[in-house]
Amino acid sequence: MPLMTSWVASANDANHPFPLNNLPYGVFSTEGSDPRCGVAIGDMILDVTAAEAEGLMALTDEPLFDMPFWNVLMEEGPAVWTAFRERLTALLAEGSSEQGKVEPLLVAAADADLHMPFAVSEYTDFYAGKQHAQNMGAILRGSPDLPANWLHIPIGYNGRASSVVVSGTPIHRPNGQTKAPDADMPSFGPSKRLDIELEMGAIVGTGSDFGQPVTVDEADAMIFGYVLLNDWSARDIQGWEYQPLGPFQGKAFGTSISPWIVTAAALDSFRAPTPARDKELLPYLNGSKDGLYDIELEVLMQPEGADAASVIAKTNYNRMYYSAAEQLCHHAIGGCEMNAGDLLGSGTISGPVREEYGSLMELSWAGREPFTLETGETRGFIEDGDTLTLRGNARGDGFTIGFGDCTGEILPAVSWPAE
């Protein structure tokens, strides 16, 4: 599919992340206004809440956009998702007969603040990147061998929906218990091995009933869209607490997502296959569609006071071993009810060479091999004042599908107990 042209001129730049082919969904506000639903088109945001109030978005009997999140549309299901996207395209396409009605509803993105685009119902994080799992095994256990179950099921854990925040939200360095290898007792204080994890987040649109599993193909149709996701991780806290039940406080202090939901429909032409399986999966994990996407990803780091950010890793979402649809299918297979607004983290995305590693734990090999930024600073783990940014783009025929930056600055730990 080539570039679809819009009467919004900035959307026709081949390198702009928000062409008519994309139309991602977010929540924005301007000075003196409340947050409301919007769609990015070039350098502008279409105020969808206002468009519905003006009668330009009459898709159902009840309002879909009178609340500052996209969950109401999600719950309507794929038929309404498609109708809404078709209506947006008709309004914004070059030559639209309704340009005069829509143009007053555009807001300059530069004048807008972005908010959480949806209400997170529940959050589950997976461990589905094979290279990352092998690297972590080599770092922590001295062997890249995978756990016995890893090649058979998408491994995950239930995280904290309350800790999911939108890009630009500062993250405090967490306090917690850690234990040095040669210490008799643990100690309490700020994490010294603060890390990121480069991930994609899949957003469940339509839910499933309690007690009822879903197939991979049904799961694929349930996914509303995707965001970039940074699963901030305190490796030293995690290392002390994770056996035998897995991550807890080492992950619960913050998860950042990009501000725009890129729909599954916008990504459909970028589908990519999952890799050849080392072990044949059980039949319930088989689907009929390619489940991954060709999305170029990169990680940038900028120390406080540095003139510019440095690219520290580049990889691709197609490096994953399990797709979001496979993860969602396995999540529901025992009867777990899935809800509109559930967020599934992909797991850290790493490729076969160091330049593609999606965490500092891997890039610095647990701090034993610090790396040097383009501005001259060296890093093993994140220091206070550092800003980390995730970027993602899918490249089409004369157009780019982007997500908007997923950014977070690390603030010092909160003094505790309070002085």
Side-chain angles (χ1 to χ4, degrees):
M1 176 189 297
L3 172 70
M4 300 167 63
T5 55
S6 170
W7 52 264
V8 180
S10 57
N12 300 325
D13 182 336
N15 295 313
H16 200 292
F18 304 136
L20 190 61
N21 303 64
N22 191 352
L23 300 176
Y25 307 155
V27 171
F28 76 102
S29 63
T30 52
E31 186 175 0
S33 78
D34 294 327
R36 54 202 188 275
C37 293
V39 171
I41 177 71
D43 293 335
M44 309 299 286
I45 300 173
L46 172 61
D47 187 337
V48 176
T49 299
E52 183 177 60
E54 294 287 333
L56 295 173
M57 291 290 176
L59 300 175
T60 60
D61 293 336
E62 299 294 329
L64 297 176
F65 308 109
D66 61 345
M67 301 294 289
F69 45 72
W70 286 80
N71 299 56
V72 180
L73 176 67
M74 291 182 204
E75 293 171 355
E76 291 294 326
V80 176
W81 303 349
T82 299
F84 175 63
R85 184 172 173 82
E86 289 174 349
R87 180 60 176 151
L88 283 174
T89 302
L91 291 174
L92 295 167
E94 187 174 42
S96 170
S97 61
E98 296 176 278
Q99 177 179 344
K101 298 177 182 178
V102 177
E103 204 159 10
L105 305 179
L106 294 179
V107 174
D111 297 332
D113 293 319
L114 300 178
H115 307 275
M116 277 292 294
F118 69 106
V120 181
S121 297
E122 298 190 57
Y123 167 52
T124 303
D125 190 42
F126 285 87
Y127 186 52
K130 183 181 176 184
Q131 185 67 55
H132 174 69
Q134 289 176 322
N135 288 345
M136 294 300 283
I139 292 169
L140 298 174
R141 298 183 297 276
S143 170
D145 292 345
L146 297 166
N149 60 356
W150 200 94
L151 293 171
H152 298 276
I153 59 174
I155 298 171
Y157 76 96
N158 290 311
R160 292 287 300 171
S162 62
S163 296
V164 180
V165 296
V166 73
S167 173
T169 305
I171 303 291
H172 280 278
R173 180 179 299 273
N175 290 302
Q177 280 197 28
T178 61
K179 182 180 178 298
D182 57 351
D184 293 330
M185 290 285 291
S187 59
F188 179 85
S191 169
K192 297 177 182 177
R193 296 163 70 87
L194 189 57
D195 200 359
I196 64 158
E197 290 189 340
L198 168 62
E199 302 191 25
M200 295 292 299
I203 301 165
V204 176
T206 53
S208 62
D209 293 330
F210 177 71
Q212 297 300 309
V214 297
T215 67
V216 172
D217 285 352
E218 288 170 339
D220 187 87
M222 290 165 62
I223 296 174
F224 182 67
Y226 292 82
V227 291
L228 304 177
L229 186 149
N230 182 352
D231 180 28
W232 301 93
S233 301
R235 299 298 184 187
D236 43 1
I237 297 174
Q238 181 181 356
W240 171 234
E241 73 181 3
Y242 83 102
Q243 294 190 31
L245 295 181
F248 185 38
Q249 294 299 87
K251 299 278 193 174
F253 61 95
T255 299
S256 300
I257 65 169
S258 51
W260 297 103
I261 301 171
V262 175
T263 63
L267 293 170
D268 195 60
S269 63
F270 299 96
R271 284 183 179 267
T274 49
R277 304 302 186 179
D278 295 20
K279 302 281 187 180
E280 184 177 356
L281 297 178
L282 295 178
Y284 79 91
L285 283 172
N286 294 328
S288 64
K289 294 182 178 181
D290 289 339
L292 298 178
Y293 296 93
D294 180 9
I295 301 172
E296 299 169 0
L297 300 166
E298 62 181 8
V299 181
L300 298 90
M301 179 181 242
Q302 185 168 356
E304 186 175 21
D307 294 334
S310 300
V311 176
I312 59 174
K314 288 186 177 183
T315 189
N316 195 296
Y317 183 45
N318 62 21
R319 299 296 196 189
M320 298 303 294
Y321 194 82
Y322 293 102
S323 71
E326 291 166 345
Q327 292 169 345
L328 179 53
C329 165
H330 182 68
H331 204 323
I333 202 65
C336 174
E337 180 179 349
M338 307 304 297
N339 299 304
D342 282 351
L343 176 64
L344 307 183
S346 64
T348 307
I349 306 166
S350 292
V353 295
R354 188 176 294 261
E355 292 76 17
E356 290 194 50
Y357 292 170
S359 70
L360 274 65
M361 185 77 165
E362 298 166 88
L363 287 168
S364 72
W365 215 247
R368 296 192 287 269
E369 301 172 13
F371 55 89
T372 302
L373 303 177
E374 297 166 17
T375 47
E377 298 90 344
T378 59
R379 288 290 186 273
F381 291 96
I382 302 171
E383 296 185 8
D384 291 350
D386 288 348
T387 296
L388 279 298
T389 299
L390 311 183
R391 287 182 180 157
N393 294 287
R395 309 285 180 178
D397 180 11
F399 68 94
T400 301
I401 300 291
F403 291 77
D405 288 354
C406 178
T407 297
E409 178 188 1
I410 294 299
L411 302 180
V414 174
S415 180
W416 185 260
E419 296 177 355

